[in-house]
Amino acid sequence: MGVATAPSPPTTSKTLQKQHLEAVGAYQYVLTFLFMGPFFSLLVFVLLFTSLWSFSVVYLVWLYVDWDTPNQGGRRSEWIRNQAIWRQLRDYYPVKLVKTAELPPDQNYVLGAHPHGIMCTGFLCNFSTESNGFSQLFPGLRPWLAVLAGLFYLPVYRDYIMSFGLCPVSRQSLDFILSQPQLGQAVVIMVGGAHEALYSVPGEHCLTLQKRKGFVRLALRHGASLVPVYSFGENDIFRLKAFATGSWQHWCQLTFKKLMGFSPCIFWGRGLFSATSWGLLPFAVPITTVVGRPIPVPQRLRPTEEEVNHYHALYMKALEQLFEEHKESCGVPASTCLTFI
């Protein structure tokens, strides 16, 4: 089939008020991504030593009772997913969603999302909100964005991200979703993970994929079709200080990742009030998320290494083809190629 794109925001000149609303939409996402988890973790702890200690105790009891919910589908809120603030976030860059093939809802899917970028902005916008009309573009599919399991240990923040349909990228969680009797489950996995964030250099397309095969095993165990997804522009919305492989700084980043599950990055955007100053507001660079064609995968409860390698190779080839077909229309020079590490 031909390419279908989610309706774009109006291209007329934006009013000053509209520009401000878009900047607020983009900035609030950055702030919640970076600080909401640590803030509420600290708040719950500090309140234990004040006259408001009962609030923390009640929440911690609730946290204990509710501990397994993230691994059992979470608590999705369509009200949260449809908030107007996400349309402002979409329009700021703008973010687009492109469909290249039908994904019938009579089967399940494992979508490999690339690249990770600094904050996965395109994937959050397209799969965890309805700002680009995912449910209209892919009727009958239920998207789940799989993220670092450690995020679901953070008080309050865990409840917030569950409302978007986020789930832990763990075997228990993903097996639960893909084992549901209702078909049409679409698990979105950022295959490169935190390691790939270290290579989120503007203009470069370096993917951590060669040894990442867990998502292929997951698809084989459940007979879920593999779907390559590439988000053009994801690496361009921030500037990154990249350290040379083998340097002590890079070693520190990798060591921190092994201990904590995520990689500390030195990155910056523009200032909130000035485009010429440094800050945390992302640069307004278009992000285009292209969803590729499904790769049929048979169900194998105990897939062999040969089967895993075969479908991993098919996936890498399909992803590279997707990149080549759409790179020029998304502003990437024709001479640019994907790099796999």
Side-chain angles (χ1 to χ4, degrees):
M1 63 164 289
V3 173
T5 308
S8 301
T11 56
T12 54
S13 180
K14 298 177 183 178
T15 64
L16 189 60
Q17 181 184 25
K18 172 64 174 171
Q19 293 177 39
H20 289 165
L21 288 174
E22 291 176 4
V24 168
Y27 204 56
Q28 66 81 27
Y29 173 64
V30 172
L31 295 181
T32 55
F33 184 97
L34 294 176
F35 303 119
M36 186 176 179
F39 172 79
F40 279 102
S41 298
L42 182 62
L43 180 64
V44 169
F45 177 76
V46 169
L47 287 181
L48 288 171
F49 303 95
T50 70
S51 59
L52 300 176
W53 61 268
S54 58
F55 287 94
S56 289
V57 171
V58 169
Y59 182 82
L60 290 174
V61 171
W62 159 252
L63 184 63
Y64 175 78
V65 173
D66 194 57
W67 190 255
D68 289 333
T69 298
N71 289 318
Q72 298 174 352
R75 278 188 301 274
R76 181 188 302 253
S77 168
E78 294 304 322
W79 181 76
I80 292 290
R81 288 168 55 87
N82 282 278
Q83 285 298 298
I85 191 72
W86 308 123
R87 293 190 289 276
Q88 303 298 343
L89 172 65
R90 172 201 66 189
D91 294 346
Y92 175 77
Y93 295 97
V95 178
K96 296 181 181 179
L97 178 61
V98 177
K99 170 184 177 181
T100 63
E102 293 293 340
L103 300 183
D106 59 354
Q107 58 181 294
N108 293 331
Y109 301 91
V110 173
L111 284 69
H114 315 269
H116 182 282
I118 299 294
M119 297 186 184
C120 322
T121 304
F123 303 124
L124 183 285
C125 197
N126 285 316
F127 298 118
S128 298
T129 79
E130 283 294 325
S131 59
N132 267 326
F134 178 91
S135 60
Q136 282 75 46
L137 207 56
F138 297 97
L141 292 193
R142 189 174 176 84
W144 304 86
L145 187 61
V147 299
L148 183 67
L151 296 177
F152 296 89
Y153 301 154
L154 301 176
V156 181
Y157 187 61
R158 68 190 290 273
D159 304 287
Y160 178 69
I161 61 178
M162 276 196 289
S163 68
F164 291 90
L166 271 63
C167 66
V169 62
S170 65
R171 177 166 181 168
Q172 179 185 357
S173 171
L174 301 180
D175 280 347
F176 180 89
I177 292 170
L178 293 175
S179 298
Q180 295 301 298
Q182 181 182 355
L183 298 177
Q185 309 296 334
V187 174
V188 183
I189 301 175
M190 285 161 286
V191 180
H195 186 268
E196 197 170 82
L198 299 177
Y199 300 92
S200 302
V201 178
E204 296 189 9
H205 301 268
C206 183
L207 305 183
T208 304
L209 183 58
Q210 285 186 343
K211 297 181 180 179
R212 301 291 176 102
K213 300 179 182 179
F215 73 106
V216 178
R217 290 190 179 89
L218 175 72
L220 281 164
R221 287 202 308 272
H222 294 276
S225 296
L226 286 166
V227 182
V229 180
Y230 200 88
S231 201
F232 294 92
E234 188 70 50
N235 285 347
D236 300 329
I237 62 175
F238 287 107
R239 302 293 179 262
L240 176 75
K241 174 59 178 177
F243 297 106
T245 302
S247 65
W248 69 268
Q249 298 98 329
H250 189 257
W251 179 85
C252 288
Q253 289 177 314
L254 295 181
T255 303
F256 188 93
K257 175 186 173 294
K258 289 179 181 179
L259 295 173
M260 303 299 295
F262 65 94
S263 305
C265 300
I266 300 176
F267 67 91
W268 63 94
R270 50 156 291 182
L272 182 60
F273 302 106
S274 171
T276 59
S277 62
W278 291 13
L280 289 176
L281 183 64
F283 296 104
V285 179
I287 299 175
T288 304
T289 303
V290 185
V291 180
R293 303 173 184 85
I295 303 169
V297 174
Q299 186 169 17
R300 299 285 188 269
L301 296 181
R302 293 178 177 83
T304 65
E305 282 302 310
E306 290 75 15
E307 289 173 323
V308 172
N309 291 337
H310 172 70
Y311 285 99
H312 184 261
L314 288 180
Y315 178 87
M316 289 184 66
K317 182 178 179 180
L319 176 61
E320 193 166 17
Q321 181 180 356
L322 181 73
F323 180 83
E324 292 296 326
E325 289 177 353
H326 295 274
K327 64 182 181 181
E328 291 185 68
S329 63
C330 295
V332 177
S335 59
T336 304
C337 297
L338 276 181
T339 301
F340 297 115
I341 58 174

